[in-house]
Short mmCIF file of all heavy atoms in Angstrom, two decimals:
data_model
loop_
_atom_site.label_atom_id
_atom_site.label_comp_id
_atom_site.label_asym_id
_atom_site.label_seq_id
_atom_site.Cartn_x
_atom_site.Cartn_y
_atom_site.Cartn_z
N MET B 13 -27.67 28.24 -27.88
CA MET B 13 -26.56 27.95 -26.95
C MET B 13 -25.65 29.16 -26.83
O MET B 13 -25.31 29.77 -27.83
CB MET B 13 -25.77 26.75 -27.49
CG MET B 13 -26.21 25.43 -26.90
SD MET B 13 -25.02 24.12 -27.09
CE MET B 13 -25.26 23.61 -28.78
N PRO B 14 -25.22 29.44 -25.60
CA PRO B 14 -24.29 30.55 -25.42
C PRO B 14 -22.93 30.24 -26.02
O PRO B 14 -22.55 29.07 -26.15
CB PRO B 14 -24.19 30.71 -23.92
CG PRO B 14 -24.92 29.57 -23.31
CD PRO B 14 -25.59 28.79 -24.39
N THR B 15 -22.21 31.28 -26.39
CA THR B 15 -20.86 31.10 -26.90
C THR B 15 -19.88 31.54 -25.84
O THR B 15 -20.08 32.56 -25.15
CB THR B 15 -20.67 31.94 -28.16
OG1 THR B 15 -21.57 31.44 -29.16
CG2 THR B 15 -19.24 31.80 -28.69
N ILE B 16 -18.82 30.79 -25.62
CA ILE B 16 -17.76 31.21 -24.70
C ILE B 16 -16.48 31.41 -25.45
O ILE B 16 -16.21 30.75 -26.46
CB ILE B 16 -17.59 30.21 -23.52
CG1 ILE B 16 -17.23 28.83 -24.02
CG2 ILE B 16 -18.83 30.17 -22.64
CD1 ILE B 16 -16.81 27.89 -22.90
N SER B 17 -15.67 32.31 -24.93
CA SER B 17 -14.35 32.57 -25.50
C SER B 17 -13.32 32.36 -24.43
O SER B 17 -13.45 32.85 -23.30
CB SER B 17 -14.27 34.02 -26.00
OG SER B 17 -15.24 34.24 -26.97
N LEU B 18 -12.32 31.62 -24.76
CA LEU B 18 -11.28 31.33 -23.81
C LEU B 18 -9.99 31.00 -24.54
O LEU B 18 -9.97 30.92 -25.77
CB LEU B 18 -11.68 30.15 -22.90
CG LEU B 18 -11.93 28.76 -23.51
CD1 LEU B 18 -11.94 27.71 -22.41
CD2 LEU B 18 -13.28 28.76 -24.21
N THR B 19 -8.90 30.90 -23.82
CA THR B 19 -7.64 30.51 -24.41
C THR B 19 -7.40 29.06 -24.04
O THR B 19 -7.44 28.70 -22.86
CB THR B 19 -6.51 31.39 -23.89
OG1 THR B 19 -6.86 32.76 -24.11
CG2 THR B 19 -5.20 31.08 -24.58
N VAL B 20 -7.19 28.23 -25.05
CA VAL B 20 -6.92 26.80 -24.78
C VAL B 20 -5.58 26.45 -25.42
O VAL B 20 -5.40 26.62 -26.63
CB VAL B 20 -8.04 25.92 -25.34
CG1 VAL B 20 -7.72 24.45 -25.09
CG2 VAL B 20 -9.38 26.28 -24.69
N ASN B 21 -4.69 26.01 -24.60
CA ASN B 21 -3.35 25.63 -25.01
C ASN B 21 -2.69 26.76 -25.85
O ASN B 21 -2.10 26.52 -26.89
CB ASN B 21 -3.38 24.30 -25.78
CG ASN B 21 -3.88 23.17 -24.90
OD1 ASN B 21 -3.66 23.20 -23.67
ND2 ASN B 21 -4.51 22.19 -25.50
N GLY B 22 -2.87 27.96 -25.35
CA GLY B 22 -2.22 29.12 -25.94
C GLY B 22 -2.96 29.75 -27.10
O GLY B 22 -2.56 30.81 -27.58
N LYS B 23 -4.03 29.14 -27.55
CA LYS B 23 -4.78 29.72 -28.68
C LYS B 23 -6.14 30.18 -28.27
O LYS B 23 -6.84 29.51 -27.51
CB LYS B 23 -4.92 28.65 -29.77
CG LYS B 23 -3.63 28.24 -30.43
CD LYS B 23 -3.90 27.38 -31.64
CE LYS B 23 -2.61 26.65 -32.09
NZ LYS B 23 -2.64 25.21 -31.91
N PRO B 24 -6.54 31.36 -28.78
CA PRO B 24 -7.89 31.79 -28.48
C PRO B 24 -8.94 30.93 -29.17
O PRO B 24 -8.76 30.52 -30.31
CB PRO B 24 -7.95 33.25 -29.05
CG PRO B 24 -6.81 33.34 -29.99
CD PRO B 24 -5.80 32.27 -29.67
N VAL B 25 -9.98 30.60 -28.43
CA VAL B 25 -11.01 29.72 -28.94
C VAL B 25 -12.40 30.35 -28.61
O VAL B 25 -12.61 30.84 -27.51
CB VAL B 25 -10.95 28.33 -28.26
CG1 VAL B 25 -12.08 27.44 -28.67
CG2 VAL B 25 -9.62 27.67 -28.55
N SER B 26 -13.30 30.28 -29.57
CA SER B 26 -14.71 30.64 -29.28
C SER B 26 -15.56 29.49 -29.73
O SER B 26 -15.39 28.97 -30.84
CB SER B 26 -15.15 31.89 -30.01
OG SER B 26 -14.61 33.03 -29.36
N ALA B 27 -16.47 29.06 -28.87
CA ALA B 27 -17.31 27.94 -29.26
C ALA B 27 -18.60 27.96 -28.44
O ALA B 27 -18.64 28.53 -27.38
CB ALA B 27 -16.58 26.59 -29.04
N GLU B 28 -19.58 27.31 -29.01
CA GLU B 28 -20.86 27.23 -28.30
C GLU B 28 -20.74 26.18 -27.20
O GLU B 28 -20.05 25.18 -27.35
CB GLU B 28 -21.98 26.79 -29.27
CG GLU B 28 -22.39 27.88 -30.23
CD GLU B 28 -23.66 27.51 -30.97
OE1 GLU B 28 -23.88 26.29 -31.21
OE2 GLU B 28 -24.42 28.42 -31.33
N ALA B 29 -21.44 26.47 -26.09
CA ALA B 29 -21.44 25.49 -25.00
C ALA B 29 -22.85 25.39 -24.46
O ALA B 29 -23.50 26.39 -24.17
CB ALA B 29 -20.48 25.92 -23.90
N ASP B 30 -23.32 24.16 -24.32
CA ASP B 30 -24.60 23.95 -23.68
C ASP B 30 -24.47 24.40 -22.22
O ASP B 30 -23.43 24.20 -21.59
CB ASP B 30 -24.95 22.42 -23.73
CG ASP B 30 -26.33 22.12 -23.25
OD1 ASP B 30 -26.68 22.44 -22.08
OD2 ASP B 30 -27.09 21.53 -24.04
N THR B 31 -25.53 25.00 -21.69
CA THR B 31 -25.50 25.46 -20.30
C THR B 31 -25.10 24.30 -19.37
O THR B 31 -24.36 24.48 -18.41
CB THR B 31 -26.86 26.01 -19.86
OG1 THR B 31 -27.32 26.90 -20.86
CG2 THR B 31 -26.79 26.68 -18.55
N ARG B 32 -25.63 23.12 -19.68
CA ARG B 32 -25.41 21.98 -18.80
C ARG B 32 -24.05 21.30 -19.04
O ARG B 32 -23.75 20.32 -18.35
CB ARG B 32 -26.50 20.93 -19.02
CG ARG B 32 -27.90 21.43 -18.80
CD ARG B 32 -28.85 20.28 -18.68
NE ARG B 32 -29.46 19.89 -19.98
CZ ARG B 32 -30.29 18.84 -20.12
NH1 ARG B 32 -30.59 18.09 -19.07
NH2 ARG B 32 -30.78 18.55 -21.30
N GLN B 33 -23.32 21.79 -19.98
CA GLN B 33 -22.08 21.10 -20.35
C GLN B 33 -20.96 21.35 -19.34
O GLN B 33 -20.71 22.50 -18.98
CB GLN B 33 -21.63 21.58 -21.74
CG GLN B 33 -20.67 20.65 -22.42
CD GLN B 33 -20.62 20.95 -23.91
OE1 GLN B 33 -20.59 22.11 -24.30
NE2 GLN B 33 -20.62 19.93 -24.72
N LEU B 34 -20.31 20.27 -18.92
CA LEU B 34 -19.16 20.41 -18.04
C LEU B 34 -17.94 20.84 -18.88
O LEU B 34 -17.88 20.52 -20.10
CB LEU B 34 -18.89 19.12 -17.33
CG LEU B 34 -20.06 18.63 -16.42
CD1 LEU B 34 -19.89 17.18 -16.03
CD2 LEU B 34 -20.18 19.53 -15.19
N LEU B 35 -16.99 21.44 -18.23
CA LEU B 35 -15.82 21.87 -18.99
C LEU B 35 -15.09 20.66 -19.60
O LEU B 35 -14.65 20.73 -20.76
CB LEU B 35 -14.85 22.63 -18.02
CG LEU B 35 -13.55 23.16 -18.64
CD1 LEU B 35 -13.81 24.04 -19.86
CD2 LEU B 35 -12.78 23.94 -17.56
N SER B 36 -15.06 19.55 -18.88
CA SER B 36 -14.41 18.37 -19.44
C SER B 36 -15.11 17.92 -20.75
O SER B 36 -14.43 17.59 -21.71
CB SER B 36 -14.47 17.23 -18.40
OG SER B 36 -15.83 17.04 -17.93
N VAL B 37 -16.41 17.97 -20.74
CA VAL B 37 -17.14 17.52 -21.92
C VAL B 37 -16.99 18.54 -23.03
O VAL B 37 -16.83 18.17 -24.22
CB VAL B 37 -18.65 17.32 -21.57
CG1 VAL B 37 -19.44 16.94 -22.82
CG2 VAL B 37 -18.81 16.28 -20.47
N PHE B 38 -16.96 19.79 -22.70
CA PHE B 38 -16.78 20.85 -23.70
C PHE B 38 -15.41 20.64 -24.40
O PHE B 38 -15.32 20.69 -25.62
CB PHE B 38 -16.82 22.22 -23.03
CG PHE B 38 -16.43 23.38 -23.89
CD1 PHE B 38 -17.35 23.92 -24.77
CD2 PHE B 38 -15.16 23.90 -23.84
CE1 PHE B 38 -17.01 25.00 -25.58
CE2 PHE B 38 -14.79 24.97 -24.64
CZ PHE B 38 -15.71 25.52 -25.54
N LEU B 39 -14.38 20.40 -23.61
CA LEU B 39 -13.06 20.23 -24.19
C LEU B 39 -13.01 19.02 -25.14
O LEU B 39 -12.47 19.06 -26.22
CB LEU B 39 -12.00 20.05 -23.10
CG LEU B 39 -11.74 21.27 -22.21
CD1 LEU B 39 -10.89 20.87 -20.99
CD2 LEU B 39 -11.02 22.37 -23.00
N ARG B 40 -13.67 17.96 -24.69
CA ARG B 40 -13.65 16.71 -25.47
C ARG B 40 -14.52 16.79 -26.71
O ARG B 40 -14.07 16.42 -27.80
CB ARG B 40 -14.14 15.56 -24.57
CG ARG B 40 -13.20 15.19 -23.41
CD ARG B 40 -13.81 14.10 -22.53
NE ARG B 40 -14.24 12.96 -23.29
CZ ARG B 40 -13.42 12.00 -23.74
NH1 ARG B 40 -12.14 12.07 -23.48
NH2 ARG B 40 -13.89 11.02 -24.47
N GLU B 41 -15.74 17.31 -26.54
CA GLU B 41 -16.69 17.23 -27.64
C GLU B 41 -16.62 18.45 -28.55
O GLU B 41 -16.67 18.31 -29.77
CB GLU B 41 -18.11 17.00 -27.11
CG GLU B 41 -18.19 15.61 -26.46
CD GLU B 41 -19.56 15.24 -25.98
OE1 GLU B 41 -20.50 16.04 -26.15
OE2 GLU B 41 -19.70 14.14 -25.41
#
Side-chain angles (χ1 to χ4, degrees):
Chain B
M13 265 198 281
T15 298
I16 59 171
S17 299
L18 61 164
T19 305
V20 178
N21 298 330
K23 292 189 196 113
V25 175
S26 282
E28 287 191 331
D30 188 301
T31 311
R32 301 195 269 177
Q33 199 163 43
L34 298 166
L35 180 55
S36 52
V37 177
F38 172 82
L39 292 169
R40 293 175 52 79
E41 294 184 0

